[in-house]
């Protein structure tokens, strides 16, 4: 059974940090590009980060660039999203997904939803004082 499970969400004050985890079972994450997405109530799903397989290239949406960092721990079959300097507008449910390609693609298509095959159930991140 192929599964992705997100964890690490919670309530944090503005300016704080959280680290989200995306743990895979039933397959090896090493072979796929992995993306992080988020969706706030009443808003469209937004792609925020992607990490390629093997070459380790990373991509970030402008909304999180400089604040979020995606990384991989192959031994644990897990991808992480370190989130720093969190803002209230970061409040959303965060999802990870595996891309159908080993790379993240060109800039204009990195976060095309149709290119991601398996999705986790999401973890809630709330940024509030």
């Amino acid at each position: 059974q192929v599964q992705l499970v997100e964890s690490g969400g919670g309530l944090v004050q503005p300016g704080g940090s959280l680290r989200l985890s995306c743990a895979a079972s039933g397959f090896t994450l090493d072979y796929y590009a992995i993306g992080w997405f988020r969706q706030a109530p009443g808003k469209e799903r937004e792609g925020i980060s992607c990490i390629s397989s093997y070459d380790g290239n990373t991509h970030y949406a402008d909304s999180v660039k400089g604040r979020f960092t995606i990384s991989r721990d192959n031994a644990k079959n897990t991808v992480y999203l370190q989130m720093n300097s969190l803002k209230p507008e970061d409040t959303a449910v965060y999802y990870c997904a595996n891309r159908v390609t080993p790379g993240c693609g060109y800039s204009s298509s990195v976060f095309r939803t149709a290119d991601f095959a398996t999705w986790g159930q999401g973890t809630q991140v709330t940024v509030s004082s």
Side-chain angles (χ1 to χ4, degrees):
Q1 183 178 5
V2 176
Q3 283 190 312
L4 292 171
V5 179
E6 303 94 339
S7 62
L11 175 64
V12 65
Q13 295 186 18
S17 298
L18 286 173
R19 188 180 74 162
L20 305 185
S21 298
C22 175
S25 62
F27 69 105
T28 301
L29 282 181
D30 302 6
Y31 303 138
Y32 302 93
I34 303 297
W36 282 97
F37 295 75
R38 66 186 182 186
Q39 187 165 22
K43 296 186 178 180
E44 295 292 318
R45 180 168 44 191
E46 176 190 18
I48 56 174
S49 189
C50 182
I51 184 167
S52 298
S53 182
Y54 299 112
D55 63 14
N57 287 338
T58 58
H59 300 78
Y60 299 95
D62 289 341
S63 58
V64 306
K65 190 176 299 181
R67 300 188 297 121
F68 292 9
T69 303
I70 190 170
S71 62
R72 182 194 309 271
D73 187 335
N74 293 333
K76 296 182 178 180
N77 208 25
T78 301
V79 170
Y80 302 98
L81 185 69
Q82 178 67 46
M83 307 186 297
N84 298 325
S85 301
L86 284 163
K87 306 174 181 179
E89 50 263 46
D90 295 319
T91 296
V93 177
Y94 284 70
Y95 303 89
C96 66
N98 69 292
R99 214 174 194 274
V100 297
T101 57
C104 292
Y106 294 101
S107 296
S108 62
S109 60
V110 168
F111 301 116
R112 289 182 66 245
T113 301
D115 289 335
F116 291 84
T118 303
W119 297 78
Q121 294 300 305
T123 185
Q124 176 72 46
V125 172
T126 302
V127 184
S128 176
S129 59

